[in-house]
Amino acid sequence: MKVIIAEKPDQGSTLASIFKHKKQSGFIEIFPNEIFTKGAYVTWAIGHLCQLVSPEKYEPTWKKWSLDTMPIIPEHFQYEVTKDKSKQFSIIKKLVSIPEVTEIIHAGDAGREGELIIRNILRLTNCKKPMKRLWISSLTANSIRDGFNKLLNEDHTRSLYFEAYTRACADWVVGMNASRLYSLLLQKKGFSDVFSVGRVQTPTLALIVKRELEIANFKSEPFWEVIAQFDINGKKYTGKWQNDGETRVKTKAMAEKVAAFCREKPAEVAEVVSERKEFLPPLLYNLSVLQADANKRYKFSPKKTLDVLQKLYQKGNVSYPRSDSRYVTKEEANTFPEILNKLSQKNDYQSYFPLPIQTLTDNKRYVNEKKVTDHYAIIPTEQLPNLDKLDSDEKKLYDMIVKSLIAAHYTKAISEYTTVKTLVDGRAVFQSKGKVQIEEGWRKVLQQKEAEDEPVLPKLEQGEQGQTAKVEVKESQTQPPKRYTEGQLITLMKTAGRHIEDKELEKVLSRTEGLGTEATRAGIITMLKDRQYIDVTKNLVYAKAKAMILIEAIGQEILASPEMTAKWEQKLKEISEGSFSPKNFMEQTTKMISHLISITINKSDEWVFNEELTDSFVPREYKKSKATKVGICKLCGGAVIDLGSFYGCSNYQKTGCRFSLSKKIKGKTIPQKQMKKLLTEGATELIEGFKGNEKEFSAKLKWDEKENRVQFVYS
């Protein structure tokens, strides 16, 4: 008899569903069949059933947070059963201890974490029985049956366990030490909070803070453009004046001068350049690209995409969700005709059939075994769902995955891009751009919006002449960099650290996954939200004051470096390949942490934080305190409350509203009376005693509706 251990209850039920079985408490009994002639038991973990023990269980003095007891580095790492999951652990231990059970089948997710979860459970049960590995990429009946008939030997995936175990231990060392280090040192600077630091979360946070600083430091400048409307033999179009390739004019006077010169002047088509561009269908989805696309299209958070995808996987409708590959092997490509034939019978997809391309088997764009690692791309399985029974979110994601496969069987899309130069009165050059779709190709399936929709230009020929019908001057402002969306952040994490000047390091990084893995990136972003480092409002990621303070303290140290994290990922990958030692990796981690503690303590005396950042920080004691309402928020209509060192919007936690005003501005405390006046009337009374450049001055504070911020009004 055999015991099969799945990673989650739903997966255990799905594995047992293809056999005659009986459900029990915490496990399922499979009756004898052609695969398990003596029967089997299916049981399951509930995610991470075990966890690394807390510091004080290694050494009692490590319980108290103190710089004197650091670094905290256990000689041997220990796991324990998570308290709220001890009942399920007892069931697993009892099953694997049954004398009639002769073999264990590891049926955790086919990846690093799945490998770690089940093996750790078996270690804690002290089970010494032989083990085999179920390794499948979908939960369809055919895939399950085939997987049980082709079980892997235990040593086939053992190095993957070594990688996951080493990763967990190294992350524990970094997290425990660096979090205590920065929390204690920042508390000395007056910031009463826990500052969580991690190997992946901190460099990710550094990227967000960097963008926040770019926006804060950006100085918007006005510019003008001269736009003309032309009438060439009845054919009308518009163009922008350009000088040496630049369309922006720095002064209004210059723009008006150009416009005045061009009005009602003759125009001639000086040049027409057309270029055809071909666009191949997109590659199939991996998790990161699907998360980015779902965020862009439906505003799904990366975590939501992964959760919905996991549900579709457990129903057997799509392949393994945490895949990092966008390719398939020939074996998978050979299944596409059957899947597509079933899809062609669904009303939602009938209009895309018959397909222009019948098979991808020999198409190297999609079929590339060298680029398939643990799992192939995310594709629909032959087990199609009843689309009417999928919930709204499931249907949206399933549709994206189905259409990516259908589009791969379509021809390239072809567009013609035209650039026209028009000469006004023989001197002023105007440029017009247009696009015409020549062949729709795969865009019939995937209607993609381009960054800028180019207008359709009339058919023009060089030398044609006409008139300048109208000229106007358009004023605009330079814009700061845009905040990242959650989807863009996922893409940024995947590519972080790749484009650097060190050529040798670049070669290393080109083989890594960047920050985190396909399986962990969504969790990292969720963690940054939960730990009050970032806000996500209307799908835009904002860095909170807490994040700005931590990253300013860390500065250029290794913990904020995407390159460092990417190098770690490469070393961990080498552990799974058997070419690097877990012991060496942990030794390097220990040295790095010891060095970090030493230099950070020495540098902390030099930390200086600007007044605005200090005042924006929300200490823990304020987060649940009652506060006095002083007015209505200018940004969201919520209540503005007195939070001690500053006034802030009560909707901050709920909606991420960022309205806040320090109580002390330029050395002058702003009383509630003046704040109430600002919120009700748009401006305070004249306030005396502001200090600037060693001189006192008087001014009103006024709310600027256009800029959405408070400004000085001098009297």
Side-chain angles (χ1 to χ4, degrees):
M1 186 169 276
K2 299 175 182 181
V3 170
I4 302 159
I5 308 176
E7 192 170 318
K8 301 178 184 73
D10 285 352
Q11 288 166 313
S13 297
T14 304
L15 293 176
S17 66
I18 68 168
F19 306 105
K20 191 176 180 181
H21 63 272
K22 182 180 180 182
K23 292 185 177 180
Q24 307 283 1
S25 178
F27 69 97
I28 299 171
E29 182 182 357
I30 293 177
F31 298 125
N33 55 72
E34 70 280 6
I35 295 177
F36 303 110
T37 54
K38 295 183 180 180
Y41 296 114
V42 177
T43 187
W44 44 80
I46 308 169
H48 283 274
L49 213 62
C50 311
Q51 63 187 10
L52 285 162
V53 303
S54 56
E56 61 269 22
K57 292 187 178 178
Y58 297 108
E59 171 57 58
T61 58
W62 286 349
K63 184 172 184 177
K64 182 182 177 183
W65 286 38
S66 170
L67 295 173
D68 297 332
T69 58
M70 298 173 68
I72 299 169
I73 301 171
E75 187 174 343
H76 299 289
F77 286 90
Q78 300 171 26
Y79 272 86
E80 64 183 0
V81 178
T82 308
K83 284 184 180 179
D84 61 346
K85 299 175 181 177
S86 58
K87 182 181 177 182
Q88 187 60 27
F89 175 79
S90 298
I91 291 170
I92 296 172
K93 186 174 182 180
K94 184 177 179 181
L95 289 172
V96 299
S97 301
I98 295 172
E100 289 80 13
V101 170
T102 57
E103 186 177 84
I104 310 300
I105 296 177
H106 181 329
D109 272 1
R112 281 175 289 235
E113 287 305 302
E115 199 66 35
L116 179 70
I117 288 168
I118 307 303
R119 285 186 186 254
N120 272 342
I121 293 170
L122 291 171
R123 278 183 65 193
L124 286 180
T125 63
N126 202 29
C127 178
K128 305 293 183 184
K129 293 178 180 179
M131 188 183 91
K132 290 286 179 71
R133 183 64 160 104
L134 176 70
W135 192 276
I136 55 178
S137 287
S138 73
L139 288 173
T140 64
N142 289 340
S143 181
I144 292 168
R145 191 173 285 105
D146 192 50
F148 278 130
N149 281 321
K150 297 177 181 178
L151 293 169
L152 303 177
N153 289 328
E154 174 273 334
D155 60 359
H156 191 90
T157 58
R158 192 187 301 161
S159 60
L160 205 58
Y161 165 69
F162 291 152
E163 178 198 345
Y165 183 82
T166 306
R167 179 193 298 272
C169 295
D171 285 351
W172 189 95
V173 168
V174 172
M176 285 294 176
N177 285 280
S179 297
R180 292 187 178 200
L181 174 67
Y182 284 98
S183 296
L184 291 168
L185 293 175
L186 285 168
Q187 281 171 20
K188 290 182 178 181
K189 297 291 182 180
F191 301 112
S192 178
D193 209 336
V194 174
F195 288 83
S196 171
V197 178
R199 180 179 62 86
V200 178
Q201 67 164 335
T202 302
T204 301
L205 188 62
L207 292 170
I208 299 169
V209 169
K210 180 184 177 187
R211 176 52 56 92
E212 196 76 33
L213 291 171
E214 288 170 350
I215 294 169
N217 296 328
F218 183 84
K219 297 194 184 305
S220 183
E221 295 179 353
F223 66 90
W224 292 262
E225 292 177 308
V226 182
I227 300 173
Q229 293 183 12
F230 300 109
D231 186 338
I232 306 291
N233 298 325
K235 294 178 281 190
K236 298 175 182 179
Y237 62 99
T238 62
K240 285 183 183 179
W241 179 76
Q242 68 166 25
N243 185 24
D244 293 330
E246 179 58 64
T247 62
R248 294 181 177 183
V249 184
K250 292 184 178 180
T251 66
K252 185 177 182 179
M254 178 62 181
E256 293 285 12
K257 188 176 179 181
V258 172
F261 170 81
C262 295
R263 286 190 177 99
E264 299 179 0
K265 294 287 176 66
E268 179 181 348
V269 178
E271 185 180 81
V272 179
V273 177
S274 294
E275 179 186 8
R276 285 198 174 194
K277 290 186 179 180
E278 298 180 349
F279 301 90
L280 292 170
L283 295 173
L284 301 171
Y285 280 122
N286 63 13
L287 179 58
S288 288
V289 178
L290 185 59
Q291 285 171 322
D293 276 6
N295 178 259
K296 184 177 181 180
R297 194 174 304 182
Y298 303 118
K299 304 295 187 288
F300 284 6
S301 71
K303 182 180 184 301
K304 180 175 180 176
T305 297
L306 180 55
D307 289 346
V308 174
L309 200 56
Q310 183 72 26
K311 286 164 64 180
L312 289 169
Y313 168 65
Q314 288 176 191
K315 291 177 182 179
N317 302 141
V318 301
S319 60
Y320 185 70
R322 293 172 179 81
S323 175
D324 63 352
S325 178
R326 302 187 70 181
Y327 302 87
V328 296
T329 65
K330 276 197 173 184
E331 185 179 357
E332 276 73 54
N334 287 333
T335 69
F336 289 171
E338 178 192 352
I339 296 168
L340 290 163
N341 182 52
K342 290 181 178 180
L343 287 169
S344 70
Q345 296 167 40
K346 297 281 186 182
N347 290 335
D348 295 53
Y349 305 114
Q350 280 180 352
S351 61
Y352 302 123
F353 292 85
L355 299 172
I357 298 171
Q358 295 302 308
T359 179
L360 297 181
T361 305
D362 297 317
N363 189 328
K364 293 181 181 178
R365 178 169 172 78
Y366 301 99
V367 182
N368 190 331
E369 296 195 18
K370 292 179 180 178
K371 293 188 177 182
V372 175
T373 51
D374 295 339
H375 298 280
Y376 48 82
I378 300 171
I379 57 173
T381 67
E382 75 278 4
Q383 193 168 301
L384 269 60
N386 181 335
L387 297 179
D388 294 332
K389 290 186 177 180
L390 293 179
D391 66 36
S392 173
D393 294 339
E394 290 172 336
K395 193 167 184 177
K396 285 172 182 173
L397 277 192
Y398 186 73
D399 183 69
M400 289 174 70
I401 295 164
V402 165
K403 285 183 177 177
S404 75
L405 180 63
I406 293 174
H409 290 75
Y410 266 70
T411 56
K412 58 196 171 189
I414 302 175
S415 295
E416 185 173 80
Y417 293 82
T418 301
T419 302
V420 175
K421 286 186 179 178
T422 306
L423 201 59
V424 175
D425 202 27
R427 289 177 60 187
V429 178
F430 285 75
Q431 181 172 276
S432 309
K433 289 187 175 182
K435 185 195 80 170
V436 177
Q437 182 171 274
I438 305 299
E439 288 186 23
E440 187 178 29
W442 57 269
R443 293 190 194 277
K444 176 182 177 181
V445 185
L446 302 177
Q447 297 294 334
Q448 292 191 340
K449 286 186 179 180
E450 301 200 22
E452 287 187 19
D453 291 330
E454 301 283 1
V456 176
L457 290 173
K459 185 71 175 175
L460 297 166
E461 293 183 9
Q462 186 174 338
E464 281 192 283
Q465 296 181 349
Q467 283 292 120
T468 306
K470 185 180 178 182
V471 184
E472 60 182 359
V473 173
K474 180 183 176 185
E475 181 178 354
S476 301
Q477 293 275 338
T478 56
Q479 297 297 311
K482 291 183 179 179
R483 283 187 168 82
Y484 299 120
T485 64
E486 288 190 83
Q488 289 168 337
L489 192 54
I490 285 283
T491 303
L492 185 67
M493 290 173 74
K494 189 173 179 68
T495 58
R498 302 279 181 91
H499 309 295
I500 51 178
E501 293 181 5
D502 185 330
K503 295 300 181 184
E504 288 304 311
L505 183 55
E506 188 175 13
K507 288 179 184 177
V508 172
L509 297 179
S510 66
R511 302 192 298 272
T512 73
E513 298 188 64
L515 293 176
T517 67
E518 298 291 321
T520 62
R521 289 188 191 108
I524 292 295
I525 296 173
T526 301
M527 187 189 301
L528 292 175
K529 294 180 198 174
D530 293 344
R531 292 176 177 173
Q532 300 300 309
Y533 283 126
I534 64 172
D535 271 330
V536 179
T537 305
K538 294 182 178 178
N539 200 34
L540 297 177
V541 180
Y542 293 80
K544 290 186 175 183
K546 182 178 177 182
M548 310 286 279
I549 290 163
L550 176 63
I551 298 304
E552 189 169 321
I554 291 175
Q556 300 300 312
E557 295 302 334
I558 195 168
L559 280 178
S561 165
E563 290 84 1
M564 178 279 292
T565 303
K567 286 176 75 174
W568 275 34
E569 290 294 343
Q570 178 60 27
K571 289 298 180 186
L572 287 164
K573 190 176 180 70
E574 288 173 10
I575 290 173
S576 72
E577 294 168 348
S579 58
F580 194 69
S581 160
K583 182 181 177 182
N584 288 345
F585 187 89
M586 290 306 300
E587 286 174 352
Q588 290 179 12
T589 303
T590 300
K591 286 179 183 177
M592 184 272 288
I593 279 294
S594 299
H595 176 69
L596 179 74
I597 292 168
S598 174
I599 61 171
T600 303
I601 291 173
N602 291 335
K603 286 184 176 180
S604 64
D605 291 336
E606 303 169 11
W607 291 350
V608 177
F609 302 94
N610 67 55
E611 185 180 333
E612 184 180 348
L613 194 57
T614 303
D615 289 341
S616 299
F617 177 70
V618 183
R620 278 184 295 176
E621 57 265 30
Y622 288 144
K623 288 177 182 173
K624 295 183 180 178
S625 64
K626 292 183 179 179
T628 304
K629 179 179 174 180
V630 293
I632 302 300
C633 177
K634 289 287 188 179
L635 296 180
C636 75
V640 174
I641 53 180
D642 186 336
L643 288 166
S645 62
F646 71 101
Y647 300 104
C649 181
S650 59
N651 282 336
Y652 177 68
Q653 298 290 341
K654 191 192 302 181
T655 66
C657 180
R658 297 177 63 78
F659 180 89
S660 67
L661 185 71
S662 172
K663 264 195 178 179
K664 186 171 281 189
I665 300 175
K666 297 285 186 181
K668 180 68 177 178
T669 299
I670 311 301
Q672 285 188 10
K673 177 186 173 183
Q674 296 293 353
M675 188 63 189
K676 288 177 181 179
K677 201 168 184 65
L678 174 69
L679 293 171
T680 55
E681 299 178 18
T684 66
E685 296 171 345
L686 188 68
I687 300 173
E688 298 178 350
F690 291 115
K691 295 175 183 176
N693 297 324
E694 301 180 358
K695 291 182 180 180
E696 288 195 359
F697 65 93
S698 301
K700 293 180 180 181
L701 296 179
K702 181 181 178 182
W703 179 257
D704 188 316
E705 296 286 353
K706 187 176 180 181
E707 298 284 337
N708 278 340
R709 63 188 180 94
V710 172
Q711 294 184 336
F712 286 111
V713 176
Y714 302 96
S715 297

